[in-house]
Amino acid sequence: MMSRSNFSMSTRAKMVELFTTSRLKVDRAKHHIGEIETFISLLPDAYFVTVEMNPNGRNEVLKYDLRDRDKLISDVALMLGDSIHNFHCALDHAWMSVLTQLCPASINNQTKFPIFPVRDKVEAALRGIKIDSTVPALFNRIVNEIKPYDGGNESIWFIHILDVDDKHRLLLPVIEFASIQGIEVENEHGKVVQGTTLGTSQKPPYYVPIESGWHLKNKGKVAFSVLFDEGATFQFADIRDMLWRFSIDVLRTIQSLENCVATELAKGTIGTG
């Protein structure tokens, strides 16, 4: 007869193996987040600055522009879509692992993690594959703890919506938010004045007028962020912060499912498949 400690060690090892692929998918999503962070950090260097004369006056105007702006934003959107897709796959892999251990008869060729617009549909989907009767604890965990529906776990719901959208169109609901920092000019009295522009979500080019008779000392640099422009919870969120939030919530969900499987197997009332 297996001792409690040996059973516990065996169960932990089995859980690690069961949920390996789901965590690998999260790791892949994190890799794409790293790519996005690097890409955005280099965007300010892609700006070029020229000094032009104001056609309506005698003062100079700084013009900040971004080469291939639309292509750059499209590149960010592609990386965003790849990251979102891997988070969604991580949930599907975790769900398959759960069903394999606790209720393999529920698996079919359309098995995927249950995400729906409302709680009632999540409950209906679980009852449709008899989770409520075969593993009541799993039913309760999904419906009352994980809450994969709009108004429940917003990260999971948003991952689902974005991944579905990405199958049909390039994810482009992003806006850049930029300001110019570190501008230095010398006024007519020889005093160096430093300045920073207000942030804007307008597309470049950006124009900064210089007072007539003042001399430019430092063109400054563009400070740049990429914000998401869709959904109540994540609207205007920096996409890097949004994706890391997704990572935390998906890993928390995987761990919750893993804990549920370990608990049910420890009861000894469900076969190990």
Side-chain angles (χ1 to χ4, degrees), residues 90-257:
L91 294 170
D92 288 339
H93 280 244
W95 185 239
M96 182 65 76
S97 296
V98 171
L99 296 186
T100 299
Q101 292 303 305
L102 301 186
C103 39
S106 298
I107 297 173
N108 56 52
N109 58 7
Q110 296 182 332
T111 295
K112 57 185 178 181
F113 188 78
I115 307 174
F116 291 91
V118 295
R119 176 187 172 120
D120 287 350
K121 289 191 174 182
V122 174
E123 292 183 3
L126 295 175
R127 289 192 177 97
I129 55 174
K130 303 186 186 309
I131 299 298
D132 58 321
S133 56
T134 55
V135 195
L138 177 59
F139 180 88
N140 180 67
R141 187 167 296 239
I142 292 292
V143 172
N144 296 313
E145 180 181 315
I146 296 175
K147 302 179 181 178
Y149 46 83
D150 190 13
N153 189 313
E154 291 297 327
S155 290
I156 291 178
W157 172 245
F158 213 43
I159 286 168
H160 173 70
I161 291 299
L162 291 177
D163 195 36
V164 171
D165 281 352
D166 193 46
K167 290 182 174 70
H168 305 290
R169 63 181 176 92
L170 182 64
L171 283 180
L172 279 176
V174 290
I175 58 174
E176 59 264 59
F177 189 79
S179 63
I180 317 300
Q181 300 182 356
I183 301 172
E184 294 181 353
V185 292
E186 183 182 298
N187 66 19
E188 67 270 25
H189 304 297
K191 180 180 179 181
V192 175
V193 179
Q194 296 182 336
T196 298
T197 69
L198 295 174
T200 178
S201 60
Q202 298 298 314
K203 292 182 180 181
Y206 310 121
Y207 296 93
V208 179
I210 300 175
E211 292 285 342
S212 180
W214 291 25
H215 303 288
L216 178 67
K217 305 292 288 185
N218 188 327
K219 297 176 181 177
K221 196 167 185 178
V222 177
F224 192 94
S225 295
V226 178
L227 311 181
F228 209 78
D229 192 27
E230 187 172 297
T233 300
F234 296 101
Q235 189 174 35
F236 306 132
D238 187 298
I239 65 170
R240 293 163 291 187
D241 295 337
M242 180 187 75
L243 290 171
W244 284 118
R245 164 78 177 274
F246 288 174
S247 174
I248 291 170
D249 287 345
V250 169
L251 283 172
R252 184 180 290 127
T253 298
I254 293 170
Q255 187 61 57
S256 179
L257 292 171

Side-chain angles (χ1 to χ4, degrees), residues 20-29 86-87 89-90 93:
T20 293
T21 59
S22 56
R23 288 194 167 89
L24 286 175
K25 287 293 183 180
V26 174
D27 288 343
R28 188 61 187 169
N86 277 280
F87 281 134
C89 287
H93 280 244

